[in-house]
Amino acid sequence: MSFKYRWNRYNNRRLNEKEFKKREITLRSRPTIAYIDPANACPLSCPLCPTGNRSSKDPRGIMSMASFKKIYDQIGPYLYQLHLYNWGEPTLNKALPEMIEYAKRLYNPKIVISTSLAKISAELAETLATSQANLLSVSVDGIDQATYEKYRVGGDLAHVFKTLELMVAAQKRSNKKCPIIRWQFIPMKHNEHQLEQSREKAKALGIDFRVHRVRLQMTNFDKPGDNQQSQDVADFAPTDEKHRRPITPLTPENPCKWLWNRVVYDWDGRITPCCNVQDRNDAFEADINVPFLETWNGKAYRDARNIFHSVRTEGHSVCQRCVDNSGVL
């Protein structure tokens, strides 16, 4: 990446930060972080996830390399981070290594992959372990099969551990320290007693370890009512309060930064305002052929940003519902 691109990216971020502080409605800057979902399908049936529990009725699909290029060519020059995941298992997309290579070669953002490693082949695992990605975050919520599959329904913990060992070995053979391979542990009621044992297991495997607080309201963040009293909370909420994500109400004094500095693409190029949104009816743009800037400064985005000037949006906006129901964790 040339000095010119690095300089332009830096200036865009500075402008983006200024526009956010002023709560600008129409932006000259572009987002600095992007989430692009290579696939919105998943082989697991995680109970809290709308993909896993099948509550999401959106059609399942795999992003083509042509679609990825069409998206990335417009936003890539401005990105500091590129997250190649959202509602699905990204390793289902066999073009994932090519996406990583293309993104790095053109504009070199930090690339993050989040995966369960469920059903991944040894060949793809080795390819990812020696790729130009910066971080591979692997969701492992237990150290025995019974505990692990309580949430990662349909998963095989032995396969995950074998794959992690294979990936570490591949890095050693290649004399590579990047991407960082990180065990992500989500403490819940049924597994929080295994947190420290999991940390020790990660150390033995030779990988990084991170505790990630559970999202308890993925399917109802924008719905009225006390989302913290649902059956999901009773079944999965950790007993230790420090492992629960606090609800942070959005206000003009505490606006949603996603509307200014991030963009989310589904597998078919649909744009949504944040990674919470799964219903395609809440998309800010459904047509991948619409130029990005037309959407970024289109009516849906401008109305959503205006919420934080105490101007209610017209219609049934997902952002207005989220603000009204204190839905963001």
Side-chain angles (χ1 to χ4, degrees):
M1 186 179 181
S2 69
F3 173 78
K4 174 185 175 182
Y5 278 118
R6 292 197 304 271
W7 182 246
N8 288 342
R9 183 172 66 176
Y10 170 76
N11 284 330
N12 177 74
R13 184 173 67 178
R14 289 284 303 274
L15 176 60
N16 186 264
E17 290 169 349
K18 290 178 181 178
E19 291 181 327
F20 171 70
K21 288 178 181 178
K22 293 180 178 180
R23 312 293 191 262
E24 297 283 1
I25 305 302
T26 301
L27 308 184
R28 290 182 294 142
S29 64
R30 315 303 202 270
T32 60
I33 302 171
Y35 288 74
I36 301 178
D37 205 358
N40 74 338
C42 183
L44 300 185
S45 299
C46 303
L48 297 180
C49 174
T51 302
N53 65 27
R54 309 302 188 258
S55 62
S56 173
K57 304 306 179 185
D58 280 1
R60 301 289 180 249
I62 303 290
M63 178 175 283
S64 70
M65 192 63 200
S67 293
F68 177 78
K69 288 181 177 180
K70 180 174 288 189
I71 293 167
Y72 187 74
D73 288 351
Q74 296 182 76
I75 63 174
Y78 309 99
L79 296 181
Y80 277 86
Q81 293 180 32
L82 173 60
H83 297 252
L84 289 175
Y85 62 91
N86 194 23
W87 286 114
E89 171 52 56
T91 62
L92 293 178
N93 192 324
K94 303 311 177 188
L96 183 60
E98 186 180 357
M99 292 176 178
I100 295 170
E101 189 278 331
Y102 185 82
K104 274 291 185 181
R105 174 165 49 84
L106 264 64
Y107 303 117
N108 195 30
K110 176 183 177 181
I111 297 179
V112 181
I113 311 291
S114 180
T115 174
S116 67
L117 294 182
K119 314 300 183 184
I120 191 173
S121 67
E123 180 183 5
L124 181 55
E126 288 191 350
T127 299
L128 291 178
T130 55
S131 70
Q132 296 181 72
N134 297 84
L135 174 63
L136 300 177
S137 179
V138 183
S139 299
V140 189
D141 308 314
I143 57 168
D144 60 68
Q145 179 64 24
T147 303
Y148 171 77
E149 68 181 357
K150 172 77 174 176
Y151 186 74
R152 303 289 168 185
V153 179
D156 181 351
L157 187 59
H159 170 76
V160 173
F161 284 156
K162 181 179 179 180
T163 303
L164 285 170
E165 291 170 354
L166 182 151
M167 295 171 83
V168 170
Q171 285 194 337
K172 288 181 178 178
R173 288 196 304 271
S174 303
N175 196 27
K176 293 194 66 175
K177 295 182 178 180
C178 206
I180 295 169
I181 302 173
R182 174 176 293 164
W183 177 325
Q184 177 178 276
F185 183 94
I186 301 179
M188 291 171 273
K189 182 183 292 185
H190 66 281
N191 71 352
E192 56 190 332
H193 65 286
Q194 293 188 348
L195 193 157
E196 292 307 322
Q197 292 171 286
S198 297
R199 192 190 306 274
E200 289 302 313
K201 176 69 172 178
K203 184 177 180 180
L205 287 168
I207 62 177
D208 196 28
F209 184 84
R210 177 184 183 236
V211 176
H212 188 72
R213 289 183 291 184
V214 64
R215 289 174 61 188
L216 294 168
Q217 53 180 139
M218 281 191 280
T219 59
N220 63 350
F221 75 97
D222 61 334
K223 305 297 189 298
D226 189 348
N227 294 325
Q228 294 300 294
Q229 298 301 317
S230 67
Q231 187 60 47
D232 291 339
V233 173
D235 290 343
F236 292 101
T239 56
D240 191 333
E241 289 288 338
K242 72 181 180 183
H243 294 142
R244 298 192 188 193
R245 290 198 203 183
I247 289 181
T248 306
L250 296 171
T251 65
E253 294 72 34
N254 181 42
C256 178
K257 202 167 187 178
W258 284 75
L259 295 170
W260 277 267
N261 76 348
R262 305 179 195 194
V263 63
V264 179
Y265 283 91
D266 199 5
W267 69 273
D268 56 0
R270 174 177 44 135
I271 294 177
T272 60
C274 78
C275 67
N276 283 308
V277 179
Q278 343 100 34
D279 192 330
R280 67 187 309 102
N281 294 321
D282 290 322
F284 278 15
E285 180 53 65
D287 186 353
I288 192 174
N289 295 308
V290 173
F292 173 71
L293 275 182
E294 288 187 20
T295 303
W296 188 235
N297 283 318
K299 178 174 171 50
Y301 264 109
R302 287 186 285 108
D303 284 352
R305 294 177 189 129
N306 227 353
I307 292 171
F308 300 101
H309 289 275
S310 299
V311 179
R312 292 189 64 83
T313 62
E314 300 175 6
H316 200 51
S317 164
V318 65
C319 294
Q320 187 67 67
R321 298 197 310 270
C322 180
V323 171
D324 290 346
N325 296 300
S326 299
V328 174
L329 284 178

